[in-house]
Amino acid sequence: MSSSDKPELVERDVKDKVDDKEDNSGFIDKVKGFIHDIGEKIEETIGFGKPTADVAEIHLPCINLEKAEIVVDVLIKNPNPVPIPLVDIDYLIESDGRKLLSGLIPDAGTIHAHGEETVKIPVTLIYDDIKSTYDDIKPGSIIPYRLKVDLIVDVPVFGRLTLPLEKTGEIPIPYKPDIDMEKIHFERFSWEETIAVLHLKLENMNDFDLGLNALDYEVWLSEVSIGSAELEKSAKIGKNGISYIEIPISFRPKDFGSALWDMIRGKGTGYSMKGHINVDTPFGAMKLPISKEGGTTRLKKNREDGGDDDDDDDEKKVRGMFECKSKLC
């Protein structure tokens, strides 16, 4: 072999090695590109995102003279391929910038992957606490409120996130209606049983309407119970307004002794009344107490006081019943 052949052999060997390096580099680039494409497709398919939340509804399942139970429904949507824990719920209720109530609910649950959950936040406003703190908040009033909620969630890739929510509205501070018995109208007289109608005046002491649906009651005349009942009754009592209702009652006059006779003669007889009324309000249904202690009612009303013929007829009938009894007729 001539010496001129050796460089050619060496050059071919180097060239082959260079070609191999170029081939290897191209293969690696192709693998990297393939992996990158697969990664993008995986991100598109199972990519992580931030959850969203919104106040869906606010309920008042129970409201009375002592408290208001409030349930806040929060809808949380999780777009991620894994469940996310709801670490904490931090809430605040304020009115005109003044705190009414605040609290923290830890370990509030888990939001399913690619799902949504309605989380219920129960809170209770105690009216005595509010009225003792803020003197200008009076029974019967309506106050504005602002609800602030921070939902703290733990999301892969993003870490812990805070989802802030706000909602405004109004809430009542209810007050019991005032009740008064204006008169008793007798329909049927008997010494053993008398049927009468109580004429009641109901005064709404609240800044919102009351829709009366039903009531239960017990009435005492001269410290003697003359009966109790539950009945359906429909009436609308406007805010700070007055409504008149009639309710039937039956009792035995012989149980009263001189009390009924005093009422007939116009002296007036002490009475008490206790019960409840079921009403609809703009804030939901309520059951409010009614009571009257130490009231005075009478059968007869003087002409100058606006008495009518029905009052005179009642007096004559009941007086006749008592006269007949005294004569044992």
Side-chain angles (χ1 to χ4, degrees):
M1 181 179 294
S2 63
S3 59
S4 60
D5 294 333
K6 293 180 181 179
E8 185 177 353
L9 290 174
V10 172
E11 289 176 1
R12 184 179 295 115
D13 185 57
V14 171
K15 183 178 179 181
D16 290 341
K17 289 181 180 180
V18 170
D19 290 341
D20 289 343
K21 287 182 179 180
E22 289 179 354
D23 291 341
N24 290 336
S25 175
F27 176 75
I28 291 173
D29 289 340
K30 288 180 180 179
V31 170
K32 286 182 177 179
F34 176 76
I35 293 174
H36 178 73
D37 291 342
I38 292 295
E40 285 186 344
K41 293 183 182 299
I42 290 175
E43 284 188 10
E44 291 175 2
T45 305
I46 60 170
F48 290 94
K50 294 182 179 180
T52 59
D54 191 22
V55 177
E57 195 169 358
I58 296 179
H59 309 274
L60 293 171
C62 176
I63 185 167
N64 52 42
L65 298 185
E66 290 78 33
K67 64 183 180 179
E69 294 180 0
I70 306 171
V71 177
V72 183
D73 290 348
V74 177
L75 180 64
I76 306 175
K77 296 182 179 181
N78 177 19
N80 297 290
V82 295
I84 59 173
L86 182 52
V87 181
D88 288 320
I89 299 176
D90 195 1
Y91 61 86
L92 168 69
I93 299 179
E94 60 182 16
S95 179
D96 293 330
R98 302 178 297 184
K99 185 178 79 170
L100 301 180
L101 181 69
S102 63
L104 178 69
I105 303 175
D107 302 325
T110 301
I111 313 303
H112 296 303
H114 294 303
E116 59 184 45
E117 299 285 340
T118 298
V119 177
K120 295 184 179 295
I121 306 174
V123 298
T124 302
L125 285 176
I126 305 298
Y127 293 133
D128 282 346
D129 295 342
I130 297 174
K131 290 181 285 188
S132 63
T133 304
Y134 306 112
D135 294 337
D136 59 321
I137 297 180
K138 303 298 183 182
S141 61
I142 300 173
I143 61 173
Y145 74 84
R146 181 182 299 274
L147 169 70
K148 297 181 179 180
V149 178
D150 285 338
L151 303 174
I152 302 172
V153 294
D154 197 350
V155 183
V157 179
F158 295 98
R160 288 200 172 187
L161 299 176
T162 298
L163 309 177
L165 303 172
E166 279 197 17
K167 194 76 171 181
T168 59
E170 292 182 328
I171 193 166
I173 312 293
Y175 192 62
K176 70 176 184 178
D178 186 58
I179 188 169
D180 200 7
M181 188 191 304
E182 296 218 312
K183 69 175 182 178
I184 302 177
H185 177 71
F186 293 89
E187 294 190 340
R188 193 178 72 195
F189 302 92
S190 168
W191 187 250
E192 292 296 328
E193 183 183 38
T194 290
I195 296 177
V197 176
L198 306 182
H199 292 249
L200 303 180
K201 180 177 77 172
L202 275 175
E203 183 175 359
N204 181 8
M205 312 296 285
N206 297 281
D207 291 337
F208 51 89
D209 295 343
L210 301 178
L212 177 65
N213 295 320
L215 74 158
D216 62 83
Y217 62 91
E218 185 171 5
V219 180
W220 293 263
L221 281 180
S222 189
E223 299 182 354
V224 178
S225 175
I226 65 173
S228 61
E230 297 181 9
L231 70 158
E232 296 182 356
K233 201 73 177 178
S234 179
K236 180 180 178 181
I237 315 173
K239 62 179 181 179
N240 300 307
I242 295 175
S243 182
Y244 297 89
I245 61 173
E246 299 176 1
I247 57 176
I249 198 165
S250 62
F251 58 91
R252 301 199 311 172
K254 69 178 185 179
D255 295 335
F256 290 86
S258 62
L260 191 58
W261 185 246
D262 288 340
M263 186 170 62
I264 294 169
R265 291 185 296 174
K267 289 184 176 181
T269 296
Y271 76 90
S272 299
M273 185 173 186
K274 292 182 180 180
H276 299 85
I277 59 173
N278 296 332
V279 294
D280 290 328
T281 76
F283 309 96
M286 297 185 194
K287 187 174 184 178
L288 300 176
I290 52 174
S291 64
K292 183 71 173 184
E293 300 285 348
T296 301
T297 190
R298 65 190 66 210
L299 174 65
K300 179 181 178 181
K301 296 177 71 176
N302 295 330
R303 292 293 183 184
E304 56 269 22
D305 293 335
D308 53 33
D309 292 337
D310 288 340
D311 296 327
D312 287 343
D313 291 341
D314 285 345
E315 179 188 1
K316 291 175 182 177
K317 291 176 183 178
V318 178
R319 186 186 296 274
M321 180 184 69
F322 270 79
E323 290 175 349
C324 180
K325 180 66 178 178
S326 65
K327 296 175 183 178
L328 300 179
C329 58

